[in-house]
Amino acid sequence: MKAIMVVGTTSHAGKSAIATALCRILYRRGMRVAPFKGQNMALNAYVTLKGGEIGYAQAVQAWAAGIAPEVEMNPILLKPQGDMTSQVILRGKPEGKVGAAEYYEQFFDRGWSAIVESLNSLAKEFDIIVCEGAGSPAEINLKHRDLTNMRVAKHLNAPTVLVVDIDRGGAFAHVVGTLALLDPEERALIRGVVINKFRGQRSLLDSGITWLEEYTGIPVLGVIPWISEMFPAEDSLSLLNPPSHKEESEITIAVIRLPRISNFTDFDPLEAEPSVTLKYINPKQSLGYPDAVIIPGSKTTIADLLVLKQTGMAAELQNYVAGGGTVLGICGGYQMLGQVVADPEGVEGIEGRFEGLNLLPIKTVITNHKVSRQRVVNSNYPTPGLPVTGYEIHQGRTQPSERFNGALSPDIKPLFDDLNLGLVDKEQSVWGCYLHGLFDNGPWRRAWLNRLRNQRGLKSLPTGIANYRDQREEIIDALATIVEAHLDLTPLL
């Protein structure tokens, strides 16, 4: 099977972005291309059409390749839970929670089998596979159990590119050190180096490139300039930096940066709104006076709920709502909005029954059964009848705390035409739902933002806009065009 491997000297070198660009470049050249990452440890996940979970970055890469995401593109997904354990997702399905030592004892052989099977499956359908590594391929204490980097490259005999982030400094040492720690068979697969995130005058770098090529015997295939377009395809909390000031910004939305925050890619469409400033608030910080607050998804709802209470953020949120503020909870954040969150089986690691934020009259029971599926529904609020697409990933069932003659309490209304997917209070100040990707829906997003704008006396924004996928396509195209202009693919193809 024909493949290209992308590895990095460090985490956050830009592997995901380069792999995404390669998928789009090859797709534009008429190739049938598929992305692949053998094992991903990610807080952001996506649900495929068949209901399997994969890393969100691989979903983005699949879209870049012009195809639908499939579980074979990321056969192993590890979802950290914050207690030195991770939930293991194998071929899209949950396989339990384990610590690091137990994982390699129980899943190493099964994991490698899943990787080989997935690669064989992709090879039957596609002309070329663009593989992404994880972290560094030269972690000598981990290499013997590394399922993601050079083990995959050797299996495929794939020409490999080594990406280095020059913005963080020490780039030449990173490249030389990484190559020195690779086995001869692994080093022979490295066909070129890509210097990423370069700012400044290129001519000042030329002498260093000449030295590096002479010293290593490996060509520098490209110097990729710093790309200012927002493209957080890599799964890292370091991406949640304070946003730069937007000249057109008129409203501010705060996202609570939970210790175990997950699926924060939900908010990419809000980041892309020129009129919105999105800021991430640590639970220990003061909430301030934003136009709305979002409680995002969490890998462990109860643990993060307890953090909100211990830091005083829970009380701040309650006072904020009492003062007329708007709060939206998604997935784990939705569960926290209620009166009770119970985990009778200790699925998340903390067995018991816990008081929620008491902002919606709902109760949640965490269960072993995991719901992961794509959804298409119609909205009831803020504008009736808007089609909304997204996906669910959650363990637990949320229901109204009380019903009156079989009907909902008059204090809450169904957010969509499926009652179990989300609720809003009668003042439309507290919203909650299980739908990830909600803000990808342009008309719904604008309708919700217009409600916030109207409260400020601001003019409504047009709601007849395309969904975020169109904007994402433009971002991917722009990324691919820049990378292609600065990268020599000949040694890789």
Side-chain angles (χ1 to χ4, degrees):
M1 63 188 80
K2 187 168 182 57
I4 295 172
M5 186 78 191
V6 180
V7 298
T9 57
T10 60
S11 297
H12 321 315
K15 298 182 294 293
S16 293
I18 297 297
T20 302
L22 287 174
C23 285
R24 177 53 57 94
I25 292 167
L26 299 176
Y27 168 68
R28 293 196 302 207
R29 294 186 182 186
M31 292 185 177
R32 294 177 302 163
V33 56
F36 181 81
K37 187 164 185 173
Q39 177 178 293
N40 196 355
M41 179 171 280
L43 294 159
N44 290 322
Y46 180 78
V47 175
T48 68
L49 286 169
K50 295 181 180 179
E53 282 187 76
I54 64 172
Y56 189 83
Q58 278 61 67
V60 172
Q61 290 162 2
W63 295 324
I67 56 177
E70 301 175 8
V71 296
E72 287 79 12
M73 298 168 185
N74 179 208
I76 308 171
L77 175 61
L78 303 178
K79 304 185 79 173
Q81 300 209 158
D83 57 355
M84 302 298 289
T85 67
S86 293
Q87 183 182 47
V88 180
I89 309 294
L90 194 63
R91 297 293 292 267
K93 301 300 180 184
E95 292 284 336
K97 183 180 73 170
V98 295
E102 295 82 11
Y103 170 71
Y104 288 106
E105 290 174 3
Q106 299 174 26
F107 288 98
F108 184 87
D109 291 336
R110 288 179 63 192
W112 180 246
S113 294
I115 287 171
V116 173
E117 289 171 13
S118 296
L119 285 169
N120 289 338
S121 176
L122 293 174
K124 294 175 183 177
E125 188 177 352
F126 298 98
D127 300 326
I128 188 168
I129 304 171
V130 175
C131 304
E132 179 189 343
S136 161
E139 303 288 359
I140 56 174
N141 58 315
L142 301 176
K143 280 184 65 175
H144 65 289
R145 59 188 191 187
D146 186 347
L147 288 167
T148 319
N149 290 295
M150 301 311 292
R151 186 183 300 269
V152 171
K154 287 193 294 182
H155 175 76
L156 297 171
N157 194 31
T160 301
V161 60
L162 179 63
V163 181
V164 59
D165 175 4
I166 197 170
D167 188 60
R168 66 175 57 198
F172 296 106
H174 286 161
V175 171
V176 171
T178 300
L179 293 172
L181 292 174
L182 294 179
D183 298 336
E185 184 182 3
E186 296 169 338
R187 178 172 169 143
L189 292 172
I190 305 293
R191 301 295 170 80
V193 173
V194 171
I195 297 174
N196 195 26
K197 306 181 187 179
F198 178 68
R199 313 189 204 213
Q201 189 175 335
R202 168 61 194 270
S203 61
L204 298 178
L205 191 60
D206 289 344
S207 60
I209 290 175
T210 300
W211 177 90
L212 187 64
E213 291 179 328
E214 292 176 351
Y215 186 85
T216 65
I218 296 173
V220 173
L221 301 182
V223 177
I224 311 301
W226 180 271
I227 301 173
S228 58
E229 284 89 347
M230 183 198 68
F231 193 78
E234 292 196 67
D235 189 89
S236 169
L237 288 174
S238 68
L239 295 166
L240 305 184
N241 294 321
S244 57
H245 176 69
K246 296 180 181 178
E247 292 295 334
E248 302 173 51
S249 176
E250 294 172 302
I251 64 172
T252 300
I253 297 175
V255 179
I256 307 299
R257 184 172 173 167
L258 301 169
R260 298 160 186 84
I261 187 174
S262 64
N263 285 80
F264 48 85
T265 47
D266 281 342
F267 313 122
D268 291 354
L270 289 175
E271 284 273 20
E273 284 278 359
S275 67
V276 175
T277 291
L278 197 69
K279 64 177 184 178
Y280 286 83
I281 302 291
N282 188 293
K284 294 181 180 180
Q285 294 177 263
S286 174
L287 186 59
Y289 303 96
D291 295 284
V293 177
I294 298 175
I295 308 175
S298 167
K299 193 65 196 72
T300 49
T301 297
I302 292 172
D304 279 350
L305 173 62
L306 294 176
V307 168
L308 296 185
K309 292 184 175 184
Q310 292 161 2
T311 58
M313 179 56 75
E316 280 209 54
L317 288 166
Q318 290 162 346
N319 292 334
Y320 173 76
V321 171
T326 297
V327 171
L328 168 62
I330 298 179
C331 201
Y334 175 36
Q335 296 173 341
M336 295 180 204
L337 292 176
Q339 296 167 330
V340 173
V341 181
D343 188 353
E345 302 175 60
V347 172
E348 291 190 349
I350 305 178
E351 184 179 342
R353 180 183 174 92
F354 301 85
E355 183 182 3
L357 297 175
N358 284 306
L359 296 178
L360 280 178
I362 57 175
K363 57 184 178 182
T364 297
V365 178
I366 307 294
T367 66
N368 271 307
H369 174 65
K370 188 168 193 176
V371 177
S372 57
R373 57 184 177 179
Q374 292 196 6
R375 299 299 306 273
V376 179
V377 293
N378 291 308
S379 70
N380 293 324
Y381 296 91
T383 300
L386 291 177
V388 176
T389 63
Y391 53 98
E392 294 179 71
I393 311 175
H394 59 92
Q395 287 179 266
R397 181 174 174 82
T398 298
Q399 295 181 308
S401 300
E402 297 181 14
R403 291 178 183 267
F404 296 82
N405 299 322
L408 278 179
S409 160
D411 293 331
I412 50 176
K413 306 290 182 183
L415 191 53
F416 307 105
D417 53 13
D418 182 346
L419 167 66
N420 296 313
L421 197 53
L423 297 164
V424 58
D425 70 358
K426 61 183 180 181
E427 289 85 12
Q428 297 187 46
S429 59
V430 181
W431 308 63
C433 74
Y434 274 123
L435 199 65
H436 294 290
L438 176 63
F439 291 117
D440 288 12
N441 299 275
W444 194 96
R445 181 179 71 249
R446 282 288 178 86
W448 186 73
L449 290 175
N450 281 341
R451 188 180 181 281
L452 302 179
R453 294 174 64 85
N454 293 340
Q455 290 176 330
R456 288 274 305 274
L458 296 170
K459 182 181 177 181
S460 293
L461 298 171
T463 58
I465 62 170
N467 291 332
Y468 179 68
R469 70 171 71 93
D470 295 333
Q471 195 165 356
R472 183 180 61 222
E473 282 292 302
E474 294 175 2
I475 294 172
I476 292 173
D477 265 329
L479 172 72
T481 297
I482 294 172
V483 170
E484 188 171 24
H486 293 86
L487 183 63
D488 177 12
L489 289 177
T490 305
L492 301 176
L493 298 175

